[in-house]
Amino acid sequence: MLKKLYTDIIFPNPKKVLIGFFVILSVLGYFATKLEIDASAETLLLENDTDLEFSRTVAKRYATSDFLIVTFKPNDYLLSERSLKKIKELSNEFEKLELVTSVTSILNIPLLQSPPKPVKELLADIPSLEKGGVDKKLAEKELLSSPLYVENLVSKDFKTTSLLVNLKDDVEYRRLLDKRDSYRKKELTKEEQLEFEKVEAQFKAYRDLAREKNHQNIVKVRKIIKKYQQYGKLHLGGVTMIADDMVEFVKSDLSTFGVAVFLLLFLVLGLLFRELRWVVIPVSIATFGIIATSGLFGMFSWEITVVSSNFISLLLIMAMSLIIHLSVKYREVLYKYPENSQQELVLETVLTMAKPSFFVVITTIAGFSSLVLSNILPIINFGWMMSLGIVIALLISFIVFPSIMILLPKTKGVDSSESSSKFTTFLAEFSYRNKYLVLGVTGVALLFALSGASKLLVENSFIDYFKKDTDIYKGMTVIDQNLGGTTPLDVILTFKEDEVVEVGVADDSFEDDLDDFDDEYETEESPETYWFTEAKMEKIKEVHDYLESIPAVGKVLSLATMGEVGKALNDGKPIDSFALALLYQELPAEYRSIILDPYLDIENDQVRLNMRIIDSMKDLRRNELITKINKDLQEILNPKYEEFRLSNMMILYNNMLNSLFDSQIRTIGLVITLLFIMFLVLFRSLKIALVAIVVNIVPVSVIFGVMGWFGMPLDMMTITIAAISIGIAVDNTIHYIHRFKVEFAKTGDYVQSMYNGHKSIGTAMFYTSLTIMIGFSVLMLSSFIPTIYFGLLTVIAMLMAIVADLMLLPVLLIVFKPLGRKND
């Protein structure tokens, strides 16, 4: 059937086939321009994660909106007129931006002790630096002593301050998101499915618009910051900025290193083949495959995420492998049968390579099947992307390659014994003469891998994604080390109705102030008056103090913080719950939204303790930290009266990473079993299947060993390396064994079959691996650490795969003789 496809359709009409192909490619090329990169928080979260739903509820309940952090270390004294003027000018420029609602800085925060005043007088006119008339020495003292401000708005050395650029709450985005998610949670009728598709399209369209607006907003903020760099050191931070910058780094790497990789591929192929057609044809056909695949993704609105951003590079590896094998095979066939017509030569090439190439594609898809079994949609899509991409690469290779070749004149054939196979012949001789050394080194490599794998860390630190000389790293470091930490983590504490309520007695002088204040403002009793019990406040303080005692935790803010402020207002004596209730009721809304509302929800009998984790802390183990906090809080809190739950970004990313790790480790055994079955079906030999699976396990194991010993964490970017390594390794194994069986059928001699295999298919394997290793080494020049790791690990995977296939595989075939003992 395949032969008839070529002889009846492709060979008689190569120009028509190519014209039809390029018409289709042009259409797909148009859709490829629609392919988008999405690095929003949603792409890194678990589908149907209850913690995600709870986190969104908390965000609504406590009115926590996104914000950017601008750090400013002025050249002058922080409270000098010049510095305050620049802070004011910065704030004014930020507030003019469309997406900015307000800016919180040391200028407009309430100063409650500068100077100390009776509560009635203080609340009637709360001073701030912006209003003027404030004693700056007292202001500095308060900023450095107040738990509200130190390591939050000012650093401990009083040289750096932060401006919180509060962003507008995107109500329409949340409405569409909630509507979309409501459909996802239920079984849909046909009518509901149509409505769901409409809502999802609306959500994506609005999200894309919002994302572009957000990016432009960050660009404008950076332009403003750049104008003020002459007055001090300024940096930008915040979760929103990190997500946006990751997209920009990925885009930059795709364009910059994409071009560099292609140029290196041209150079290496030129040096290896020394003929222009064997440079242009492989690179062109691989490019066609990438364009076609990207076009299909764009057509069906599949988006590239940070996780799947390397799909183009991986697809290039797979496509180049297919084309180089075809190219080398054609040159070999031409040398053997120079008198044959071009049609006969091309037909022999494609028919000989069709079976092993087909099984390469099937087994590669099996290698990526572990990704499809993940609970994270972008990872699942990545698995499907690679599976679809390699199928498209196969189809294009076996249609376009013969169509082009049939139009070209015959070129010079290449003898397998020529200089091009000298290196692979040397590997064959070395492996045969040192069989037990090869096996011994393999054993050592597996021990290295096992010991290294035991040291693997499952971590996800955004600060470690960037080189130390990048602006984003510097900004995150300033925030992390001087202004209370980076990654947010919340403890949501809920009090139960049957809690024992105790009412304490306030300090007399403070109570007198409040009595006068109460009389003047005629404060009426309300539910808030009775909520602030001593039992609740003591428990909140106990949890707050515990969180602050953890070395990895930076700044902690909660209702206990306000209690400490009240204590300062009361000459160092604790204030009672009634006094705190009055402060809550009478504090002006503009200040209450800063120091109380984000931490208290009286209606749901709930409080929020917000902490930030010091992301750059050495040896930080996030999952262990979360486990410790959960365990310790269970001991601190009485389940009869209180219950708690952890929330926010750290929990969501930790859930994602643990789920991904569990799914990959859990399914790797399934993938290996599936590959073994495929080898069994393909080679129809239990021994060969066992040999093949061992050869494919070694590169994957060594990758994990390298990561463990060199401290490369398994995170959302590197955890897919197992699937990638298997996908790379099975390619060469199938090609080699298939060729070895052909040679053994001719010679009946294992050693001669090895030499013949190394001179023929071994050369193609070596060319493919060398080309890709050199091409992908350029990725290690990136400023984005995940790209560096991907380049490094891909090179190592390719190296280990080719070493295993050209040294370990022939040794195992010779030692265990899985094909029988014909002329041994």
Side-chain angles (χ1 to χ4, degrees):
M1 181 179 175
L2 185 62
K3 183 177 180 180
K4 291 194 71 176
L5 172 67
Y6 287 112
T7 57
D8 295 351
I9 299 175
I10 294 180
F11 289 166
N13 308 287
K15 292 182 180 178
K16 291 180 181 179
V17 171
L18 288 174
I19 290 171
F21 169 76
F22 282 116
V23 168
I24 296 172
L25 188 67
S26 299
V27 174
L28 292 175
Y30 167 75
F31 282 102
T33 63
K34 307 290 184 182
L35 189 62
E36 296 180 346
I37 299 176
D38 182 10
S40 61
E42 281 73 21
T43 66
L44 306 176
L45 305 177
L46 286 175
E47 291 291 295
N48 303 317
D49 185 0
T50 55
D51 283 321
L52 173 59
E53 188 173 344
F54 180 70
S55 178
R56 287 172 176 166
T57 300
V58 169
K60 292 177 186 176
R61 188 169 289 174
Y62 292 93
T64 58
S65 59
D66 287 339
F67 58 87
L68 298 170
I69 302 174
V70 176
T71 67
F72 180 37
K73 184 178 182 181
N75 297 328
D76 304 316
Y77 170 57
L78 186 57
L79 297 185
S80 69
E81 289 300 323
R82 180 183 173 88
S83 297
L84 294 178
K85 181 182 178 183
K86 295 308 169 188
I87 293 172
K88 180 63 177 176
E89 290 174 359
L90 273 167
S91 299
N92 289 342
E93 291 209 47
F94 292 144
E95 287 176 345
K96 290 177 183 177
L97 299 178
E98 181 186 355
L99 298 187
V100 176
T101 56
S102 63
V103 177
T104 303
S105 72
I106 57 173
L107 286 176
N108 56 9
I109 54 172
L111 296 175
L112 306 178
Q113 297 171 263
S114 304
K117 297 179 183 179
V119 176
K120 177 176 63 177
E121 185 181 341
L122 176 65
L123 294 182
D125 183 21
I126 299 178
S128 69
L129 287 168
E130 193 171 42
K131 291 179 180 178
V134 174
D135 186 320
K136 290 182 180 178
K137 289 185 178 180
L138 290 175
E140 178 181 346
K141 182 180 178 182
E142 179 173 354
L143 289 170
L144 286 173
S145 61
S146 172
L148 281 171
Y149 306 137
V150 68
E151 290 191 297
N152 186 26
L153 287 174
V154 295
S155 59
K156 281 186 175 180
D157 61 7
F158 208 65
K159 292 181 179 179
T160 305
T161 185
S162 65
L163 292 83
L164 303 184
V165 182
N166 302 303
L167 305 176
K168 286 181 180 177
D169 182 21
D170 198 332
V171 178
E172 178 64 10
Y173 176 86
R174 284 196 288 106
R175 185 188 71 80
L176 290 171
L177 179 66
D178 291 343
K179 193 173 181 181
R180 183 203 67 177
D181 290 348
S182 68
Y183 281 106
R184 284 184 172 183
K185 294 175 184 177
K186 60 182 181 180
E187 293 290 330
L188 302 179
T189 63
K190 287 185 178 180
E191 292 77 11
E192 287 176 328
Q193 179 65 33
L194 291 173
E195 182 62 26
F196 167 64
E197 291 173 2
K198 186 187 298 183
V199 169
E200 188 160 45
Q202 289 175 345
F203 171 74
K204 283 188 175 181
Y206 185 84
R207 182 207 60 194
D208 293 344
L209 181 63
R211 185 189 300 151
E212 179 58 27
K213 281 187 176 181
N214 178 65
H215 172 66
Q216 291 304 322
N217 186 63
I218 291 172
V219 170
K220 291 174 183 176
V221 168
R222 281 203 163 103
K223 284 183 179 178
I224 294 170
I225 288 174
K226 189 175 181 180
K227 285 166 51 180
Y228 288 84
Q229 289 289 3
Q230 58 183 311
Y231 305 110
K233 292 181 180 179
L234 291 92
H235 297 289
L236 181 63
V239 174
T240 303
M241 179 274 300
I242 293 171
D244 186 76
D245 274 18
M246 286 175 70
V247 171
E248 295 308 306
F249 270 93
V250 169
K251 285 181 178 179
S252 175
D253 283 353
L254 283 174
S255 59
T256 303
F257 294 109
V259 173
V261 167
F262 272 99
L263 290 175
L264 275 175
L265 290 179
F266 266 100
L267 178 63
V268 175
L269 288 172
L271 291 173
L272 291 175
F273 287 104
R274 299 180 185 278
E275 192 171 347
L276 185 60
R277 72 165 62 181
W278 303 123
V279 177
V280 175
I281 291 174
V283 173
S284 298
I285 294 178
T287 304
F288 298 157
I290 291 171
I291 293 172
T293 306
S294 301
L296 283 175
F297 296 162
M299 184 184 296
F300 294 107
S301 300
W302 281 13
E303 296 173 317
I304 299 176
T305 66
V306 173
V307 175
S308 59
S309 60
N310 292 317
F311 95 91
I312 291 178
S313 303
L314 290 171
L315 191 56
L316 183 62
I317 292 175
M318 308 300 177
M320 287 295 293
S321 175
L322 290 169
I323 302 302
I324 291 176
H325 277 292
L326 285 171
S327 302
V328 172
K329 184 62 182 177
Y330 171 84
R331 282 154 52 100
E332 181 186 332
V333 171
L334 176 59
Y335 182 81
K336 288 183 179 179
Y337 311 107
E339 72 285 351
N340 285 8
S341 67
Q342 181 74 324
Q343 181 172 319
E344 290 173 324
L345 295 171
V346 175
L347 184 63
E348 173 70 14
T349 299
V350 292
L351 292 182
T352 303
M353 298 304 299
K355 185 178 178 180
S357 296
F358 172 75
F359 276 98
V360 161
V361 169
I362 296 300
T363 49
T364 301
I365 291 173
F368 282 102
S369 64
S370 62
L371 303 180
V372 179
L373 299 175
S374 168
N375 292 323
I376 304 169
L377 188 58
I379 301 292
I380 297 170
N381 287 344
F382 183 34
W384 288 118
M385 280 180 172
M386 290 309 306
S387 300
L388 178 61
I390 189 63
V391 170
I392 292 173
L394 176 70
L395 293 174
I396 291 178
S397 298
F398 277 80
I399 292 174
V400 177
F401 179 82
S403 298
I404 292 175
M405 291 303 300
I406 209 72
L407 295 172
L408 297 176
K410 290 193 291 186
T411 183
K412 178 185 176 184
V414 176
D415 184 3
S416 297
S417 62
E418 279 191 2
S419 59
S420 60
S421 62
K422 280 186 177 180
F423 181 72
T424 54
T425 302
F426 165 76
L427 290 180
E429 292 175 352
F430 180 88
S431 300
Y432 178 63
R433 293 174 182 173
N434 301 277
K435 293 189 290 291
Y436 297 105
L437 175 62
V438 171
L439 293 174
V441 171
T442 300
V444 172
L446 288 174
L447 288 175
F448 167 83
L450 289 172
S451 59
S454 66
K455 299 176 180 291
L456 276 173
L457 301 175
V458 184
E459 286 294 334
N460 194 75
S461 173
F462 289 119
I463 197 169
D464 292 332
Y465 280 0
F466 307 95
K467 285 186 175 180
K468 293 182 178 180
D469 59 350
T470 58
D471 288 337
I472 185 171
Y473 182 93
K474 292 175 182 177
M476 291 171 72
T477 302
V478 170
I479 295 167
D480 201 38
Q481 297 179 357
N482 297 317
L483 295 167
T486 303
T487 309
L489 176 62
D490 291 341
V491 174
I492 306 301
L493 185 58
T494 304
F495 295 95
K496 298 182 178 179
E497 292 181 2
D498 58 350
E499 182 180 3
V500 177
V501 178
E502 298 178 3
V503 180
V505 179
D507 175 71
D508 291 341
S509 60
F510 194 64
E511 191 176 59
D512 291 341
D513 283 340
L514 286 168
D515 287 342
D516 294 340
F517 178 78
D518 194 19
D519 291 340
E520 181 173 341
Y521 289 94
E522 299 180 354
T523 306
E524 296 181 2
E525 292 186 353
S526 65
E528 289 87 346
T529 307
Y530 299 101
W531 191 91
F532 294 88
T533 65
E534 286 187 11
K536 287 178 181 175
M537 295 306 299
E538 286 175 5
K539 188 57 65 176
I540 294 169
K541 188 175 188 320
E542 185 178 1
V543 174
H544 183 108
D545 291 344
Y546 159 72
L547 296 174
E548 280 194 329
S549 71
I550 301 172
V553 173
K555 189 64 181 176
V556 181
L557 293 171
S558 71
L559 201 57
T561 310
M562 190 61 206
E564 289 299 306
V565 172
K567 183 178 177 181
L569 293 174
N570 196 28
D571 296 327
K573 301 170 186 175
I575 62 171
D576 71 353
S577 55
F578 184 69
L580 192 56
L582 288 174
L583 285 174
Y584 173 81
Q585 289 176 299
E586 301 304 331
L587 195 65
E590 60 180 308
Y591 297 131
R592 193 171 74 178
S593 64
I594 297 174
I595 62 179
L596 282 175
D597 289 346
Y599 313 107
L600 175 62
D601 179 15
I602 291 177
E603 181 181 350
N604 291 287
D605 216 14
Q606 195 175 79
V607 295
R608 169 177 172 257
L609 296 94
N610 171 252
M611 69 193 104
R612 298 203 301 276
I613 307 303
I614 302 173
D615 223 28
S616 60
M617 182 177 179
K618 191 178 180 182
D619 299 327
L620 174 62
R621 302 290 177 263
R622 290 159 184 79
N623 191 56
E624 292 177 12
L625 174 62
I626 291 171
T627 302
K628 170 182 167 56
I629 293 174
N630 273 315
K631 181 183 176 181
D632 292 347
L633 288 181
Q634 287 173 3
E635 296 177 1
I636 293 173
L637 299 172
N638 187 339
K640 182 179 178 182
Y641 300 128
E642 308 99 13
E643 60 185 20
F644 75 95
R645 186 169 178 178
L646 302 187
S647 183
N648 217 320
M649 197 65 69
M650 186 170 179
I651 296 296
L652 301 181
Y653 283 148
N654 193 68
N655 288 353
M656 174 274 297
L657 196 58
N658 284 330
S659 173
L660 184 55
F661 177 74
D662 290 343
S663 69
Q664 291 297 284
I665 298 303
R666 188 174 63 249
T667 58
I668 196 167
L670 175 63
V671 170
I672 290 173
T673 303
L674 187 60
L675 286 175
F676 175 74
I677 294 171
M678 288 186 169
F679 287 145
L680 200 59
V681 172
L682 171 60
F683 300 119
R684 299 179 182 180
S685 166
L686 178 62
K687 285 185 177 181
I688 293 181
L690 287 171
V691 166
I693 206 68
V694 168
V695 171
N696 280 271
I697 287 173
V698 171
V700 180
S701 302
V702 171
I703 284 291
F704 283 137
V706 169
M707 292 181 69
W709 279 109
F710 289 92
M712 298 180 187
L714 275 171
D715 59 17
M716 64 183 183
M717 301 297 294
T718 59
I719 205 163
T720 57
I721 195 63
I724 292 170
S725 299
I726 292 174
I728 290 172
V730 295
D731 185 335
N732 288 334
T733 303
I734 291 174
H735 278 298
Y736 188 88
I737 293 178
H738 183 269
R739 184 55 181 259
F740 192 93
K741 288 181 68 179
V742 171
E743 295 297 335
F744 187 78
K746 295 177 183 177
T747 65
D749 184 277
Y750 280 94
V751 177
Q752 189 58 48
S753 298
M754 175 189 67
Y755 280 116
N756 291 346
H758 272 59
K759 290 177 182 178
S760 55
I761 198 68
T763 302
M765 291 160 56
F766 172 66
Y767 280 7
T768 301
S769 300
L770 182 62
T771 301
I772 292 169
M773 282 191 290
I774 293 175
F776 279 76
S777 63
V778 74
L779 297 180
M780 287 181 268
L781 300 176
S782 172
S783 294
F784 193 43
I785 302 298
T787 299
I788 297 173
Y789 281 169
F790 174 74
L792 176 62
L793 294 175
T794 299
V795 169
I796 294 174
M798 290 298 302
L799 177 62
M800 294 311 303
I802 193 64
V803 168
D805 285 314
L806 290 182
M807 298 185 74
L808 176 62
L809 178 55
V811 167
L812 291 176
L813 291 172
I814 291 171
V815 171
F816 293 101
K817 296 179 172 51
L819 298 176
R821 298 174 177 268
K822 280 192 176 180
N823 298 325
D824 187 36

